[in-house]
Protein backbone atom coordinates (compact mmCIF):
# COMPACT_ATOMS: atom_id res chain seq x y z
CA UNK A 1 0.00 0.00 0.00
CA UNK A 2 1.14 3.53 -0.72
CA UNK A 3 -0.64 5.30 2.16
CA UNK A 4 2.63 5.70 4.00
CA UNK A 5 4.13 7.66 1.10
CA UNK A 6 1.02 9.77 0.58
CA UNK A 7 0.86 10.76 4.22
CA UNK A 8 4.46 12.01 4.31
CA UNK A 9 5.04 15.76 4.53
CA UNK A 10 7.51 15.81 1.62
CA UNK A 11 8.06 13.39 -1.24
CA UNK A 12 11.55 12.19 -2.14
CA UNK A 13 12.65 11.25 -5.64
CA UNK A 14 12.27 7.55 -4.85
CA UNK A 15 8.78 8.14 -3.38
CA UNK A 16 7.76 9.82 -6.63
CA UNK A 17 9.17 6.98 -8.73
CA UNK A 18 7.19 4.51 -6.61
CA UNK A 19 4.04 6.57 -7.22
CA UNK A 20 4.73 6.72 -10.96
CA UNK A 21 4.94 2.93 -11.01
CA UNK A 22 1.70 2.27 -9.11
CA UNK A 23 -0.86 -0.08 -10.63
CA UNK A 24 -4.30 -1.37 -9.64
CA UNK A 25 -5.54 -0.36 -6.18
CA UNK A 26 -2.43 1.69 -5.40
CA UNK A 27 -2.95 3.71 -8.57
CA UNK A 28 -6.58 4.33 -7.60
CA UNK A 29 -5.50 5.37 -4.13
CA UNK A 30 -3.03 7.86 -5.61
CA UNK A 31 -5.73 9.38 -7.83
CA UNK A 32 -8.26 9.54 -5.01
CA UNK A 33 -5.74 11.26 -2.79
CA UNK A 34 -4.73 13.84 -5.41
CA UNK A 35 -8.41 14.55 -6.21
CA UNK A 36 -8.97 15.25 -2.50
CA UNK A 37 -6.00 17.65 -2.41
CA UNK A 38 -7.35 19.42 -5.46
CA UNK A 39 -10.79 19.84 -3.92
CA UNK A 40 -9.30 21.11 -0.66
CA UNK A 41 -6.97 23.72 -2.16
CA UNK A 42 -8.39 24.87 -5.50
CA UNK A 43 -11.95 23.46 -5.38
CA UNK A 44 -13.62 21.40 -8.07
CA UNK A 45 -13.72 24.18 -10.58
CA UNK A 46 -12.00 24.57 -13.87
CA UNK A 47 -10.73 27.83 -15.33
CA UNK A 48 -11.00 28.42 -19.05
CA UNK A 49 -8.23 29.82 -21.22
CA UNK A 50 -9.30 30.53 -24.79
CA UNK A 51 -6.34 29.35 -26.86
CA UNK A 52 -5.35 31.47 -29.88
CA UNK A 53 -2.58 29.84 -31.91
CA UNK A 54 -1.87 32.98 -33.87
CA UNK A 55 1.14 31.93 -35.94
CA UNK A 56 2.97 28.70 -36.74
CA UNK A 57 6.06 30.47 -38.05
CA UNK A 58 9.03 29.53 -35.90
CA UNK A 59 12.72 30.37 -36.00
CA UNK A 60 13.72 27.30 -34.00
CA UNK A 61 14.28 23.70 -34.88
CA UNK A 62 13.37 21.53 -31.87
CA UNK A 63 13.78 17.88 -32.89
CA UNK A 64 10.30 16.81 -31.67
CA UNK A 65 8.16 19.60 -33.09
CA UNK A 66 5.98 19.41 -36.21
CA UNK A 67 6.21 23.14 -36.92
CA UNK A 68 10.00 23.35 -36.56
CA UNK A 69 11.70 25.71 -38.99
CA UNK A 70 13.11 22.93 -41.18
CA UNK A 71 9.79 21.19 -41.79
CA UNK A 72 9.03 22.43 -45.29
CA UNK A 73 5.79 20.42 -45.48
CA UNK A 74 3.99 22.81 -43.11
CA UNK A 75 1.77 25.50 -44.59
CA UNK A 76 2.79 28.57 -42.59
CA UNK A 77 0.27 31.14 -41.38
CA UNK A 78 0.21 34.30 -39.36
CA UNK A 79 -3.22 35.56 -38.33
CA UNK A 80 -4.13 39.17 -38.99
CA UNK A 81 -4.41 41.48 -36.00
CA UNK A 82 -8.13 41.69 -36.68
CA UNK A 83 -8.53 37.89 -36.45
CA UNK A 84 -6.54 37.75 -33.22
CA UNK A 85 -8.53 40.58 -31.65
CA UNK A 86 -11.82 39.01 -32.77
CA UNK A 87 -10.85 35.73 -31.11
CA UNK A 88 -9.84 37.57 -27.92
CA UNK A 89 -13.13 39.47 -27.98
CA UNK A 90 -15.04 36.19 -28.38
CA UNK A 91 -13.38 34.90 -25.19
CA UNK A 92 -14.16 38.13 -23.36
CA UNK A 93 -17.81 38.22 -24.42
CA UNK A 94 -18.27 34.56 -23.52
CA UNK A 95 -16.91 35.05 -20.02
CA UNK A 96 -13.83 32.89 -20.45
CA UNK A 97 -11.89 35.15 -18.07
CA UNK A 98 -8.60 34.65 -19.89
CA UNK A 99 -6.84 33.76 -23.12
CA UNK A 100 -3.55 32.20 -24.17
CA UNK A 101 -1.75 33.70 -27.16
CA UNK A 102 0.62 31.10 -28.55
CA UNK A 103 2.97 31.10 -31.53
CA UNK A 104 6.22 29.75 -32.83
CA UNK A 105 9.26 31.58 -31.51
CA UNK A 106 10.46 34.68 -33.29
CA UNK A 107 12.80 37.31 -31.94
CA UNK A 108 12.54 40.59 -33.82
CA UNK A 109 11.49 44.16 -33.12
CA UNK A 110 8.57 43.72 -35.50
CA UNK A 111 7.30 40.67 -33.59
CA UNK A 112 7.79 42.39 -30.22
CA UNK A 113 5.95 45.55 -31.29
CA UNK A 114 3.09 43.59 -32.80
CA UNK A 115 2.47 41.68 -29.58
CA UNK A 116 2.74 44.89 -27.55
CA UNK A 117 0.16 46.55 -29.80
CA UNK A 118 -2.23 43.61 -29.51
CA UNK A 119 -1.86 43.46 -25.72
CA UNK A 120 -2.71 47.13 -25.40
CA UNK A 121 -5.79 46.74 -27.58
CA UNK A 122 -7.00 43.69 -25.62
CA UNK A 123 -6.46 45.51 -22.36
CA UNK A 124 -8.37 48.49 -23.74
CA UNK A 125 -11.52 46.69 -24.95
CA UNK A 126 -11.69 44.43 -21.88
CA UNK A 127 -10.80 47.24 -19.47
CA UNK A 128 -8.05 44.99 -18.15
CA UNK A 129 -10.54 42.27 -17.21
CA UNK A 130 -9.33 39.60 -19.63
CA UNK A 131 -6.15 37.96 -18.35
CA UNK A 132 -3.60 37.18 -21.05
CA UNK A 133 -1.09 34.35 -21.02
CA UNK A 134 1.66 34.54 -23.61
CA UNK A 135 3.46 31.51 -24.96
CA UNK A 136 5.89 32.99 -27.46
CA UNK A 137 9.17 31.41 -26.44
CA UNK A 138 12.47 32.80 -25.24
CA UNK A 139 12.85 36.56 -25.34
CA UNK A 140 15.08 39.06 -23.55
CA UNK A 141 14.16 40.39 -20.12
CA UNK A 142 13.40 43.78 -21.72
CA UNK A 143 10.90 42.22 -24.12
CA UNK A 144 9.21 40.25 -21.34
CA UNK A 145 8.94 43.45 -19.30
CA UNK A 146 7.55 45.40 -22.24
CA UNK A 147 4.83 42.79 -22.79
CA UNK A 148 4.06 42.62 -19.08
CA UNK A 149 3.68 46.40 -18.94
CA UNK A 150 1.43 46.27 -22.02
CA UNK A 151 -1.01 43.92 -20.29
CA UNK A 152 0.28 40.32 -20.31
CA UNK A 153 -0.16 38.62 -16.94
CA UNK A 154 1.13 35.10 -17.38
CA UNK A 155 3.77 33.37 -19.47
CA UNK A 156 4.17 29.74 -20.34
CA UNK A 157 7.67 28.55 -21.24
CA UNK A 158 7.97 24.79 -21.13
CA UNK A 159 11.39 23.38 -20.35
CA UNK A 160 10.26 20.07 -21.97
CA UNK A 161 12.95 18.17 -20.02
CA UNK A 162 14.73 19.49 -16.94
CA UNK A 163 17.56 16.97 -17.35
CA UNK A 164 20.22 18.87 -19.30
CA UNK A 165 21.42 15.77 -21.15
CA UNK A 166 17.92 14.79 -22.21
CA UNK A 167 17.19 18.40 -23.21
CA UNK A 168 20.17 18.25 -25.57
CA UNK A 169 18.82 15.08 -27.18
CA UNK A 170 15.67 17.05 -28.04
CA UNK A 171 17.30 20.18 -29.41
CA UNK A 172 20.13 21.13 -31.77
CA UNK A 173 23.39 21.90 -30.04
CA UNK A 174 23.63 25.63 -30.74
CA UNK A 175 23.11 29.01 -29.06
CA UNK A 176 19.52 29.22 -30.21
CA UNK A 177 18.60 26.09 -28.25
CA UNK A 178 20.66 26.56 -25.11
CA UNK A 179 19.49 24.89 -21.89
CA UNK A 180 21.06 27.65 -19.78
CA UNK A 181 19.28 30.32 -21.78
CA UNK A 182 15.96 28.55 -21.20
CA UNK A 183 16.56 28.51 -17.45
CA UNK A 184 17.57 32.17 -17.54
CA UNK A 185 14.41 33.04 -19.47
CA UNK A 186 12.28 31.41 -16.77
CA UNK A 187 14.06 33.50 -14.12
CA UNK A 188 13.59 36.65 -16.22
CA UNK A 189 9.86 35.99 -16.54
CA UNK A 190 9.50 35.79 -12.82
CA UNK A 191 11.59 38.91 -12.32
CA UNK A 192 9.40 40.78 -14.81
CA UNK A 193 6.37 39.97 -12.64
CA UNK A 194 4.57 37.20 -14.53
CA UNK A 195 2.67 34.27 -13.18
CA UNK A 196 5.20 31.87 -14.58
CA UNK A 197 4.45 28.50 -16.11
CA UNK A 198 6.49 25.64 -17.44
CA UNK A 199 6.02 21.99 -18.35
CA UNK A 200 7.58 18.85 -19.71
CA UNK A 201 6.84 16.11 -22.22
CA UNK A 202 6.10 12.72 -20.71
CA UNK A 203 7.14 9.44 -22.31
CA UNK A 204 10.00 10.78 -24.43
CA UNK A 205 12.58 8.44 -25.90
CA UNK A 206 15.59 8.19 -23.53
CA UNK A 207 13.49 9.43 -20.57
CA UNK A 208 13.35 7.43 -17.33
CA UNK A 209 10.96 7.60 -14.39
CA UNK A 210 13.87 9.07 -12.41
CA UNK A 211 13.92 11.92 -14.95
CA UNK A 212 10.19 12.48 -14.54
CA UNK A 213 10.46 12.50 -10.75
CA UNK A 214 13.29 15.02 -11.03
CA UNK A 215 11.15 17.16 -13.37
CA UNK A 216 8.50 17.45 -10.66
CA UNK A 217 11.04 18.22 -7.95
CA UNK A 218 12.62 20.81 -10.22
CA UNK A 219 9.24 22.54 -10.73
CA UNK A 220 8.85 22.68 -6.98
CA UNK A 221 12.39 23.96 -6.51
CA UNK A 222 11.80 26.91 -8.86
CA UNK A 223 8.46 27.59 -7.14
CA UNK A 224 6.50 27.59 -10.38
CA UNK A 225 2.97 29.08 -10.49
CA UNK A 226 1.42 27.01 -13.25
CA UNK A 227 2.19 23.92 -15.29
CA UNK A 228 1.12 22.55 -18.67
CA UNK A 229 2.48 19.07 -19.32
CA UNK A 230 1.35 16.05 -21.26
CA UNK A 231 2.37 12.97 -23.19
CA UNK A 232 4.99 13.19 -25.91
CA UNK A 233 3.40 12.42 -29.26
CA UNK A 234 5.65 11.69 -32.18
CA UNK A 235 5.40 13.57 -35.48
CA UNK A 236 6.66 11.77 -38.58
CA UNK A 237 8.28 14.86 -40.11
CA UNK A 238 10.69 15.38 -37.23
CA UNK A 239 14.16 14.00 -36.42
CA UNK A 240 12.99 12.45 -33.12
CA UNK A 241 10.63 10.17 -35.04
CA UNK A 242 13.57 7.85 -35.81
CA UNK A 243 13.50 6.77 -32.15
CA UNK A 244 9.81 5.80 -32.13
CA UNK A 245 10.69 2.16 -31.41
CA UNK A 246 11.93 3.26 -27.98
CA UNK A 247 8.54 4.70 -27.02
CA UNK A 248 6.04 3.30 -24.55
CA UNK A 249 2.60 2.51 -25.99
CA UNK A 250 0.50 5.68 -26.10
CA UNK A 251 -1.89 4.44 -23.38
CA UNK A 252 1.09 4.07 -21.03
CA UNK A 253 2.25 7.58 -21.85
CA UNK A 254 -1.22 8.84 -20.95
CA UNK A 255 -1.19 6.84 -17.73
CA UNK A 256 2.20 8.30 -16.78
CA UNK A 257 0.92 11.79 -17.59
CA UNK A 258 -2.08 11.34 -15.29
CA UNK A 259 0.22 10.17 -12.51
CA UNK A 260 2.52 13.16 -13.10
CA UNK A 261 -0.45 15.52 -12.72
CA UNK A 262 -1.68 13.73 -9.61
CA UNK A 263 1.77 13.83 -7.96
CA UNK A 264 2.34 17.46 -8.91
CA UNK A 265 -1.01 18.39 -7.33
CA UNK A 266 0.17 16.70 -4.12
CA UNK A 267 3.59 18.42 -4.26
CA UNK A 268 2.23 21.87 -5.15
CA UNK A 269 -1.42 21.96 -4.04
CA UNK A 270 -2.20 25.58 -4.95
CA UNK A 271 -0.74 25.95 -8.46
CA UNK A 272 -2.70 25.92 -11.72
CA UNK A 273 -2.31 22.75 -13.78
CA UNK A 274 -3.63 22.47 -17.33
CA UNK A 275 -5.33 19.44 -18.85
CA UNK A 276 -3.35 19.27 -22.10
CA UNK A 277 -4.88 18.67 -25.51
CA UNK A 278 -2.29 15.96 -26.14
CA UNK A 279 -4.09 13.79 -23.57
CA UNK A 280 -7.26 13.90 -25.63
CA UNK A 281 -5.30 12.75 -28.67
CA UNK A 282 -4.60 9.46 -26.91
CA UNK A 283 -8.00 8.99 -25.28
CA UNK A 284 -11.27 10.80 -26.11
CA UNK A 285 -11.72 11.57 -22.39
CA UNK A 286 -8.03 12.23 -21.74
CA UNK A 287 -8.53 15.81 -20.55
CA UNK A 288 -11.43 14.88 -18.28
CA UNK A 289 -9.25 12.20 -16.69
CA UNK A 290 -6.61 14.87 -16.06
CA UNK A 291 -9.18 17.12 -14.37
CA UNK A 292 -10.40 14.27 -12.22
CA UNK A 293 -6.90 13.64 -10.80
CA UNK A 294 -5.72 17.21 -10.28
CA UNK A 295 -5.78 19.55 -13.30
CA UNK A 296 -7.84 22.74 -12.98
CA UNK A 297 -7.32 24.56 -16.28
CA UNK A 298 -8.90 23.77 -19.66
CA UNK A 299 -7.91 25.51 -22.87
CA UNK A 300 -10.68 25.52 -25.49
CA UNK A 301 -9.22 26.29 -28.89
CA UNK A 302 -10.65 29.55 -30.25
CA UNK A 303 -8.21 29.92 -33.14
CA UNK A 304 -10.15 30.57 -36.37
CA UNK A 305 -10.98 27.22 -37.98
CA UNK A 306 -9.39 28.00 -41.33
CA UNK A 307 -5.85 27.77 -39.90
CA UNK A 308 -6.34 25.48 -36.91
CA UNK A 309 -5.22 22.34 -38.72
CA UNK A 310 -1.84 23.91 -39.47
CA UNK A 311 -0.71 24.25 -35.84
CA UNK A 312 0.41 20.70 -35.34
CA UNK A 313 3.28 20.21 -32.95
CA UNK A 314 2.27 16.53 -33.07
CA UNK A 315 -0.02 14.46 -35.28
CA UNK A 316 -3.73 13.57 -34.85
CA UNK A 317 -4.36 16.73 -32.84
CA UNK A 318 -8.06 16.80 -31.86
CA UNK A 319 -10.59 19.64 -32.23
CA UNK A 320 -9.03 21.05 -35.40
CA UNK A 321 -12.31 21.46 -37.26
CA UNK A 322 -14.78 22.70 -34.66
CA UNK A 323 -16.04 26.24 -34.39
CA UNK A 324 -15.53 28.09 -31.07
CA UNK A 325 -19.28 27.67 -30.43
CA UNK A 326 -19.08 23.86 -30.85
CA UNK A 327 -16.04 23.93 -28.66
CA UNK A 328 -17.81 25.78 -25.84
CA UNK A 329 -20.70 23.30 -25.58
CA UNK A 330 -18.29 20.38 -25.76
CA UNK A 331 -16.09 21.84 -22.99
CA UNK A 332 -19.05 22.32 -20.63
CA UNK A 333 -20.11 18.69 -21.08
CA UNK A 334 -16.58 17.39 -20.63
CA UNK A 335 -16.02 19.29 -17.39
CA UNK A 336 -19.45 18.40 -15.98
CA UNK A 337 -18.76 14.70 -16.71
CA UNK A 338 -16.13 14.68 -13.96
CA UNK A 339 -18.27 16.66 -11.47
CA UNK A 340 -16.35 19.89 -11.89
CA UNK A 341 -17.79 23.31 -12.71
CA UNK A 342 -16.69 25.76 -15.36
CA UNK A 343 -15.53 28.94 -13.61
CA UNK A 344 -17.14 31.36 -16.07
CA UNK A 345 -16.20 34.99 -15.57
CA UNK A 346 -13.30 34.16 -13.26
CA UNK A 347 -9.80 35.14 -14.31
CA UNK A 348 -8.40 32.13 -12.47
CA UNK A 349 -5.09 33.49 -11.22
CA UNK A 350 -2.79 30.87 -9.80
CA UNK A 351 -3.45 30.83 -6.05
CA UNK A 352 0.23 30.05 -5.61
CA UNK A 353 1.12 33.30 -7.37
CA UNK A 354 -1.45 35.30 -5.41
CA UNK A 355 -0.09 33.95 -2.13
CA UNK A 356 3.56 34.51 -3.02
CA UNK A 357 2.75 38.10 -4.07
CA UNK A 358 0.99 38.82 -0.79
CA UNK A 359 3.92 37.34 1.17
CA UNK A 360 6.25 39.68 -0.72
CA UNK A 361 4.16 42.69 0.16
CA UNK A 362 4.16 41.91 3.90
S1 LIG B 1 8.68 23.61 -29.89
FE1 LIG B 1 8.24 25.81 -30.08
S2 LIG B 1 10.26 26.74 -30.38
FE2 LIG B 1 10.53 24.55 -30.79
S3 LIG B 1 10.25 24.37 -33.00
FE3 LIG B 1 8.22 24.01 -32.06
S4 LIG B 1 7.19 26.00 -32.05
FE4 LIG B 1 9.38 26.35 -32.42
Amino acid sequence: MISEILNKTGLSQSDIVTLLETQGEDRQELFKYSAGIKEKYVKNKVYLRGLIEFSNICGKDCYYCGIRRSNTKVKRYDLSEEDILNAAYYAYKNNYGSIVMQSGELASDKFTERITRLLKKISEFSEGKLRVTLSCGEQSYEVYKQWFDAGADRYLLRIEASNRELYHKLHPDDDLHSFDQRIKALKDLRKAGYQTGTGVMIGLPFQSNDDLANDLLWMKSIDIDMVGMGPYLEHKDTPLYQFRDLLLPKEDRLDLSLKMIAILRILMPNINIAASTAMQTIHPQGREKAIAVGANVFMPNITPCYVRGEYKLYEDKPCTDESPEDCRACVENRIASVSNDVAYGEVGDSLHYVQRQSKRQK
Side-chain angles (χ1 to χ4, degrees):
M1 293 296 277
I2 56 157
S3 323
E4 213 176 294
I5 294 179
L6 293 174
N7 289 318
K8 281 184 171 179
T9 35
L11 297 177
S12 66
Q13 191 222 32
S14 75
D15 291 334
I16 296 174
V17 171
T18 304
L19 294 175
L20 287 172
E21 289 169 357
T22 50
Q23 299 294 337
E25 280 181 25
D26 281 347
R27 176 180 179 273
Q28 287 317 317
E29 189 176 339
L30 165 64
F31 289 161
K32 195 171 160 202
Y33 188 81
S34 63
I37 297 275
K38 176 185 161 185
E39 186 173 4
K40 180 171 168 197
Y41 285 87
V42 293
K43 313 284 179 244
N44 280 343
K45 62 181 177 182
V46 175
Y47 300 118
L48 298 185
R49 315 273 184 252
L51 175 63
I52 309 170
E53 294 163 332
F54 67 90
S55 168
N56 67 354
I57 301 171
C58 185
K60 289 176 90 164
D61 233 353
C62 308
Y63 291 150
Y64 50 85
C65 178
I67 61 168
R68 62 197 298 270
R69 185 185 62 210
S70 299
N71 186 4
T72 50
K73 294 186 185 160
V74 178
K75 201 170 139 205
R76 304 287 167 176
Y77 73 85
D78 190 13
L79 288 183
S80 68
E81 293 196 10
E82 191 187 357
D83 275 350
I84 299 170
L85 290 171
N86 281 341
Y89 192 71
Y90 173 87
Y92 175 61
K93 275 287 149 202
N94 283 278
N95 274 326
Y96 277 25
S98 77
I99 56 169
V100 178
M101 288 171 56
Q102 187 166 54
S103 69
E105 185 177 316
L106 291 175
S108 70
D109 290 348
K110 194 173 156 209
F111 185 71
T112 302
E113 293 311 323
R114 182 174 188 231
I115 305 277
T116 303
R117 207 163 47 241
L118 285 162
L119 288 166
K120 285 184 177 161
K121 286 186 181 162
I122 292 169
S123 192
E124 207 175 285
F125 77 66
S126 71
E127 296 170 338
K129 289 186 192 129
L130 187 67
R131 290 278 197 275
V132 181
T133 304
L134 291 178
S135 179
C136 303
E138 286 165 39
Q139 306 288 341
S140 67
Y141 170 75
E142 288 70 29
V143 171
Y144 286 150
K145 188 77 177 75
Q146 180 175 326
W147 288 344
F148 184 80
D149 291 342
D153 310 278
R154 308 166 179 149
Y155 205 104
L156 180 67
L157 186 71
R158 288 170 44 142
I159 189 85
E160 306 300 2
S162 68
N163 174 331
R164 183 185 289 266
E165 244 174 73
L166 181 56
Y167 185 91
H168 284 301
K169 288 192 169 117
L170 307 176
H171 300 92
D173 183 14
D174 59 27
D175 288 349
L176 199 57
H177 300 83
S178 146
F179 181 79
D180 290 328
Q181 182 50 41
R182 195 100 183 148
I183 298 286
K184 180 181 178 301
L186 280 163
K187 288 183 183 156
D188 284 347
L189 284 167
R190 198 168 149 128
K191 194 167 111 193
Y194 288 92
Q195 294 178 47
T196 308
T198 193
V200 293
M201 287 184 285
I202 298 159
L204 285 160
F206 316 112
Q207 187 183 48
S208 66
N209 284 351
D210 281 359
D211 289 326
L212 290 171
N214 287 335
D215 285 338
L216 295 180
L217 290 170
W218 171 79
M219 288 172 200
K220 187 163 169 65
S221 75
I222 63 164
D223 203 25
I224 204 76
D225 300 309
M226 49 189 211
V227 170
M229 60 181 172
Y232 163 65
L233 294 168
E234 63 275 29
H235 190 299
K236 67 176 174 356
D237 300 320
T238 63
L240 210 61
Y241 192 67
Q242 65 187 296
F243 301 111
R244 62 193 177 282
D245 293 344
L246 301 179
L247 296 173
L248 291 169
K250 283 187 179 162
E251 296 67 33
D252 292 1
R253 281 178 258 166
L254 175 64
D255 183 61
L256 261 185
S257 303
L258 292 171
K259 288 171 182 162
M260 286 285 282
I261 287 178
I263 300 165
L264 182 61
R265 177 57 70 199
I266 297 166
L267 277 175
M268 303 189 77
N270 59 359
I271 64 168
N272 279 346
I273 305 177
S276 80
T277 314
M279 291 182 149
Q280 193 182 325
T281 305
I282 297 182
H283 189 285
Q285 277 88 45
R287 286 196 280 186
E288 293 87 307
K289 287 173 187 277
I291 288 167
V293 303
N296 66 331
V297 169
F298 199 101
M299 301 199 295
N301 199 331
I302 54 169
T303 310
C305 291
Y306 70 94
V307 294
R308 218 186 276 179
E310 306 303 330
Y311 202 94
K312 284 193 177 156
L313 276 61
Y314 51 84
E315 290 173 292
D316 303 323
K317 189 175 163 191
C319 304
T320 49
D321 53 4
E322 288 163 354
S323 70
E325 288 76 14
D326 294 340
C327 203
R328 181 188 158 116
C330 165
V331 167
E332 280 178 11
N333 292 336
R334 285 177 183 280
I335 292 172
S337 75
V338 282
S339 310
N340 274 237
D341 294 319
V342 178
Y344 280 120
E346 293 191 43
V347 292
D349 285 330
S350 157
L351 196 58
H352 186 80
Y353 171 82
V354 174
Q355 291 176 349
R356 85 175 160 82
Q357 288 301 95
S358 73
K359 265 189 223 154
R360 255 180 60 179
Q361 282 154 13
K362 276 180 192 160

